[in-house]
């Protein structure tokens, strides 16, 4: 069973993703079989992980996943690798606002659950001795997690490095100083409204990963870092698929407009005996005509609305699938494409598939973000009325009209009733929720 560690930070923007990508690339080039995981519901970082390591990356989510799902995925990662590198979400202790005693989905929670040690990445800009206070606070706040190492990022020079090192050795001698990374524009990663620009959209990705790997090799004590890894304390478990298979032959949209599909969801469908057949709406490909189900995951259709509206082969094939009785599920961006119209950021109205009574606008932007509990309002392609799921909502689209039978009754992580969301019509269903697991 492979050992592992978690790369975390005091806050978002500290540089932990760049550190993880550089390490994955470096260790893979050394010939190490390294697996990776991303804590939380993020879709974008795992694609970078996969590009860096050459192996699929799985999400681990203490709030949205059943304990058996987390244990099964952790065991899968450990069984086929020599090392597991897990990237945290937000700051180490940041999670959802939940009732006392409930899981909050934080990195610290997963560290306590797995027993993997924490490597902290600290943005050192503007700090010397105060960096030791940050480290000490994070290392000692919770006795059930182990902060074993620290990497300081954006260090301005040798005097800066020496002052931080001296302060940290006095305050936290038990935490290993693993290295100091300089401020490096080459490590900065471009972003947009839902996070980083996707890996599949970066022609410079290989050069970026190689540069990050070279910097980690030059600035970090990689052997000391590897020596800190520990095996997971989770016992292997078997879990049912996170979402029931939509059919036996499922056409899955897969391109830069529809890239937000969790590997665990697709793997669960395969494990249940379903065949997965990718197709590209952006390339004007239609779903497999022999498919008995179509899955349109989230992504960025709002950035490609004109192109999608003009892709007659795709739209005709999607409508034909619905007409022959195939199950059709759309999540977030996929839901928007199942609707009648999508207004882009410039205010231009684009005709979509017209399968559901939905009209959305990206010109009228409003952030919708958070974990969601969802219960089916009616029996359909996802199960029986009342069947429950957990998922995540993250989008800026505004619903102009949403006419028809609602798909879910939803609550937030704290239990607040958010009403209904999504639409269902026969074997068609969609909502803005990215489903992570059943309850």
């Amino acid at each position: 069973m492979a050992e592992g560690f978690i790369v975390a930070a005091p806050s978002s923007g500290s540089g932990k993703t760049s550190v993880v990508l550089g390490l994955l690339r470096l260790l893979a080039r050394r010939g190490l079989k390294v697996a990776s995981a991303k804590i939380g519901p993020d879709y974008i970082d795992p694609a970078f992980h996969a590009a860096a390591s050459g192996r699929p990356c799985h999400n681990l989510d203490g709030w949205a996943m059943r304990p058996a799902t987390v244990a099964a995925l952790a065991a899968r990662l450990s069984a086929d690798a020599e090392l597991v590198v897990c990237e945290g979400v937000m700051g180490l202790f940041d999670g959802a606002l939940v009732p006392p005693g409930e899981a909050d989905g934080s990195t610290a929670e997963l560290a306590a659950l797995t027993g993997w040690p924490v490597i902290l990445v600290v943005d050192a800009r503007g700090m010397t001795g105060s960096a030791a206070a940050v480290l000490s606070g994070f290392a000692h706040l919770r006795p059930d997690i182990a902060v074993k190492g620290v990497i300081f990022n954006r260090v301005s020079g040798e005097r800066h490095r020496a002052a931080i090192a001296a302060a940290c050795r006095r305050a936290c001698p038990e935490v290993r100083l693993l290295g100091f990374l300089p401020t490096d524009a080459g490590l900065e990663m471009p972003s947009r409204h839902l996070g980083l620009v996707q890996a599949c959209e970066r022609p410079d990705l290989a050069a970026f990963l190689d540069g990050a790997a070279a910097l980690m090799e030059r600035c970090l004590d990689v052997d000391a870092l590897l020596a800190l890894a520990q095996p997971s304390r989770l016992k292997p478990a078997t879990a049912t698929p996170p979402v029931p298979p939509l059919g036996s032959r499922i056409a899955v949209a897969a391109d830069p407009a529809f890239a937000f599909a969790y590997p665990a969801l697709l793997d669960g469908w395969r494990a249940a005996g379903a065949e997965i057949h990718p197709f590209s709406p952006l390339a004007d490909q239609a779903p497999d005509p022999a498919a008995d189900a179509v899955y349109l995951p989230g992504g960025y259709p709002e950035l490609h609305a004109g192109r999608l509206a003009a892709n007659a082969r795709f739209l005709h094939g999607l409508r034909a699938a619905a007409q022959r009785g195939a199950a059709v599920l759309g999540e977030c961006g996929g839901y928007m494409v199942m609707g009648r119209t999508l207004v882009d950021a410039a205010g231009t109205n684009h005709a979509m598939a017209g399968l559901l009574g939905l009209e959305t606008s990206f010109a009228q932007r409003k952030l919708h973000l958070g974990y969601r509990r969802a219960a089916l309002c009616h029996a359909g392609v996802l199960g029986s009325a009342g069947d429950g799921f957990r998922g995540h909502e993250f989008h800026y689209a505004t619903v102009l009209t949403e006419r028809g039978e609602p798909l879910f009754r939803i609550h937030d992580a704290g239990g607040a009733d958010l009403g209904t969301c999504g639409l269902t019509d026969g074997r068609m269903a969609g909502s803005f929720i990215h489903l992570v697991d059943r309850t």
Side-chain angles (χ1 to χ4, degrees), residues 58-413:
H58 282 284
N59 296 76
L60 299 175
D61 196 313
W63 186 89
M65 290 178 175
R66 293 165 291 165
T69 302
V70 173
L73 289 172
R76 184 187 307 176
L77 288 165
S78 299
D80 191 33
E82 298 170 87
L83 178 73
V84 179
V85 178
C86 181
E87 181 184 351
V89 59
M90 301 185 293
L92 176 58
F93 301 106
D94 299 330
L97 183 61
V98 297
E102 289 194 10
D104 66 0
S106 68
T107 300
E109 181 180 76
L110 199 80
L113 188 66
T114 61
W116 285 330
V118 172
I119 310 301
L120 203 65
V121 177
V122 177
D123 184 345
R125 286 178 298 183
M127 292 192 295
T128 52
S130 295
V134 172
L135 177 60
S136 179
F138 274 79
H140 299 136
L141 182 64
R142 281 184 57 165
D144 59 342
I145 66 171
V147 177
K148 290 292 189 180
V150 63
I151 297 167
F152 287 99
N153 191 22
R154 302 182 181 115
V155 177
S156 61
E158 178 55 30
R159 286 170 60 91
H160 192 194
R161 184 207 68 78
I164 292 171
C168 289
R169 289 190 180 106
R170 289 192 299 269
C172 290
E174 74 278 14
V175 178
R176 183 69 181 261
L177 298 178
L178 296 170
F180 300 82
L181 301 174
T183 300
D184 189 332
L187 280 184
E188 300 302 319
M189 302 179 73
S191 62
R192 57 163 71 105
H193 57 283
L194 295 183
L196 299 176
V197 173
Q198 297 179 98
C200 60
E201 297 178 84
R202 290 195 54 177
D204 66 334
L205 182 57
F208 167 79
L209 294 173
D210 290 343
L215 186 65
M216 299 307 135
E217 187 167 39
R218 186 167 68 251
C219 298
L220 302 186
D221 188 341
V222 178
D223 290 336
L225 171 58
L226 297 180
L228 296 176
Q230 294 289 327
S232 169
R233 64 166 64 108
L234 289 174
K235 295 181 179 180
T238 301
T240 53
V243 177
L246 303 176
S248 59
R249 188 179 180 91
I250 308 172
V252 176
D255 59 29
F258 300 91
F260 296 173
Y262 289 118
L265 183 147
L266 300 180
D267 287 349
W269 289 349
R270 292 188 185 97
E275 297 179 5
I276 305 298
H277 295 268
F279 71 100
S280 171
L282 281 181
D284 201 15
Q285 296 174 354
D288 181 352
D292 60 355
V294 181
Y295 175 47
L296 303 175
Y300 289 100
E302 64 270 21
L303 302 182
H304 307 278
R307 186 171 166 187
L308 290 170
N311 285 353
R313 187 178 294 107
F314 158 60
L315 292 174
H316 175 76
L318 183 59
R319 294 180 188 122
Q323 289 168 3
R324 70 173 180 266
V328 182
L329 175 66
E331 290 185 344
C332 201
Y335 178 46
M336 294 163 69
V337 172
M338 290 180 71
R340 293 172 181 166
T341 60
L342 193 168
V343 181
D344 66 18
T348 303
N349 196 317
H350 301 278
M352 294 288 107
L355 302 181
L356 295 172
L358 175 72
E359 297 177 328
T360 54
S361 173
F362 192 63
Q364 302 177 32
R365 305 210 310 178
K366 180 182 178 181
L367 176 62
H368 301 79
L369 173 66
Y371 281 126
R372 301 288 183 257
R373 294 181 173 93
L376 287 171
C377 295
H378 310 277
V381 297
L382 289 171
S384 302
D387 285 355
F389 298 89
R390 289 197 175 197
H392 188 257
E393 186 175 6
F394 184 19
H395 66 93
Y396 285 87
T398 297
V399 173
L400 301 178
T401 62
E402 197 172 31
R403 297 192 180 97
E405 294 292 333
L407 179 61
F408 293 122
R409 165 70 65 175
I410 60 171
H411 295 76
D412 69 13

Side-chain angles (χ1 to χ4, degrees), residues 2-70:
E3 298 179 334
F5 56 79
I6 295 172
V7 178
S11 66
S12 295
S14 298
K16 63 181 180 292
T17 299
S18 295
V19 169
V20 167
L21 296 179
L23 285 172
L24 290 174
R25 187 70 152 194
L26 174 60
L27 297 174
R29 288 196 159 185
R30 288 187 177 183
L32 197 68
K33 292 178 65 177
V34 56
S36 73
K38 170 66 182 180
I39 298 172
D42 186 287
Y43 283 101
I44 297 175
D45 289 358
F48 281 94
H49 284 213
S53 69
R55 301 163 65 90
C57 171
H58 282 284
N59 296 76
L60 299 175
D61 196 313
W63 186 89
M65 290 178 175
R66 293 165 291 165
T69 302
V70 173

